[in-house]
Amino acid sequence: ELVTGWLPLSHLHAVLATSCTARAALDSQNAWQSRCKALWSGKAFISPQCRSLTLGGDPRGAVRASLEDARRNEITAEELCGTIWHCRAKRSAGKSYTKSDPWWQ
């Protein structure tokens, strides 16, 4: 499992096809759960569908859904409304703007 953490997902299929032993070790729930964790590391938003697949015991499906979701080129209302946004005011904007901006505190 540790080795496949460094292996690109595009190469995983070839490794799984090498032997039954490799497939049994690398195609486990724990291995796919680790892949989800690595794939989602540093992401600002993970779709509820992907999270529910993981919680429902299908981390392999969650990886597949995440990769499919990554190919879309539009943002959803859920992503816009479910994220905490911060904006920064330039110092030249004046005290009325910077006094409430945590960046300048």
Side-chain angles (χ1 to χ4, degrees), residues 2-20:
L2 292 174
V3 172
T4 60
W6 297 96
L7 187 68
L9 284 171
S10 59
H11 292 57
L12 185 61
H13 181 69
V15 173
L16 292 176
T18 59
S19 73
C20 293

Side-chain angles (χ1 to χ4, degrees), residues 17-51:
T18 59
S19 73
C20 293
T21 305
R23 185 173 193 84
L26 303 176
D27 203 19
S28 68
Q29 290 283 80
N30 286 341
W32 285 104
Q33 191 73 32
S34 295
R35 290 182 194 104
C36 280
K37 186 177 178 181
L39 185 63
W40 296 346
S41 175
K43 301 291 189 270
F45 182 84
I46 310 299
S47 79
Q49 176 201 11
C50 295
R51 289 187 190 277

Side-chain angles (χ1 to χ4, degrees), residues 21-104:
T21 305
R23 185 173 193 84
L26 303 176
D27 203 19
S28 68
Q29 290 283 80
N30 286 341
W32 285 104
Q33 191 73 32
S34 295
R35 290 182 194 104
C36 280
K37 186 177 178 181
L39 185 63
W40 296 346
S41 175
K43 301 291 189 270
F45 182 84
I46 310 299
S47 79
Q49 176 201 11
C50 295
R51 289 187 190 277
S52 67
L53 284 168
T54 302
L55 294 173
D58 187 13
R60 185 179 189 166
V63 168
R64 186 179 299 120
S66 290
L67 294 173
E68 185 176 311
D69 186 58
R71 287 192 288 273
R72 66 185 169 87
N73 58 5
E74 69 275 345
I75 192 166
T76 66
E78 184 177 31
E79 288 171 292
L80 284 172
C81 298
T83 303
I84 297 172
W85 297 90
H86 301 278
C87 66
R88 301 283 179 243
K90 292 181 178 181
R91 184 175 301 202
S92 62
K95 283 271 191 207
S96 61
Y97 289 100
T98 59
K99 71 179 178 185
S100 62
D101 187 343
W103 176 261
W104 297 106

